[in-house]
Amino acid sequence: MKRIGVTGHRGIPSEGYAHIRAGMHAVLRGHEGSMEALSSLAAGADQLFADIALACGAELTVVIPSGDYEDGFTVPDELAHFQQLRGRATREVQLAFPYATDEAYYAAGAYIADNCDRLLAVWDGHPARGLGGTGDIVRYARHLGKPVTVIWREGLQRL
């Protein structure tokens, strides 16, 4: 079974979604029915990836960074989507952090990188805005020697 993990920006401009969706489909194509998708289900790239992976027949593994992770969802629709996707997961990994800190986010991203065969990164190529951001996880995965596929449309500015 192929294991594909995701890391990516939460703030994706609406004009970038079609390009990112197409890139995700291209990465997932050919693995239908024999794939495990790893995601923390954050708003933005993580939830989009989980939606597409589930539609492709993947088993979803959710990596929850902290005990209070749900409290970080301030937009009701994003929380509802998180809960809906979490309910469809085949497996859940709950990290031992009580609070959602940068260290907890880094640990979740590192867990995904450690346990995937390929990391899909919805990334603008800029440094992370805080520890555990997309740039940090891409660097970590590359240090491990994991293949990383970056998806981003040139000229697009993350929110």
Side-chain angles (χ1 to χ4, degrees), residues 21-114:
R21 231 183 241 104
M24 287 182 175
H25 277 289
V27 169
L28 300 177
R29 191 173 298 117
H31 301 293
E32 292 89 347
S34 64
M35 177 176 40
E36 178 184 1
L38 293 93
S39 174
S40 289
L41 301 181
D46 286 17
Q47 289 185 2
L48 179 61
F49 172 76
D51 282 331
I52 293 170
L54 286 166
C56 289
E59 293 182 8
L60 178 61
T61 295
V62 178
V63 181
I64 306 295
S66 64
D68 70 343
Y69 186 56
E70 284 192 24
D71 295 345
F73 289 88
T74 57
V75 177
D77 288 348
E78 292 171 353
L79 175 59
H81 195 193
F82 165 81
Q83 292 169 333
Q84 182 263 335
L85 289 168
R86 187 178 187 181
R88 295 182 63 196
T90 303
R91 194 170 80 115
E92 182 171 307
V93 176
Q94 175 76 48
L95 299 186
F97 294 87
Y99 303 107
T101 62
D102 287 350
E103 290 77 14
Y105 293 137
Y106 186 88
Y111 181 94
I112 289 170
D114 287 339

Side-chain angles (χ1 to χ4, degrees), residues 9-17 44 78 124 129 152 156-159:
H9 300 312
R10 292 179 188 202
I12 301 171
S14 59
E15 63 270 20
Y17 271 92
E78 292 171 353
D124 64 1
R129 292 180 178 164
W152 195 255
L156 189 65
Q157 299 293 316
R158 72 174 144 159
L159 301 176

Side-chain angles (χ1 to χ4, degrees), residues 126-147:
H126 295 291
R129 292 180 178 164
L131 179 67
T134 304
D136 290 340
I137 303 308
V138 168
R139 185 173 50 255
Y140 177 80
R142 286 178 172 163
H143 178 76
L144 293 175
K146 298 283 177 147

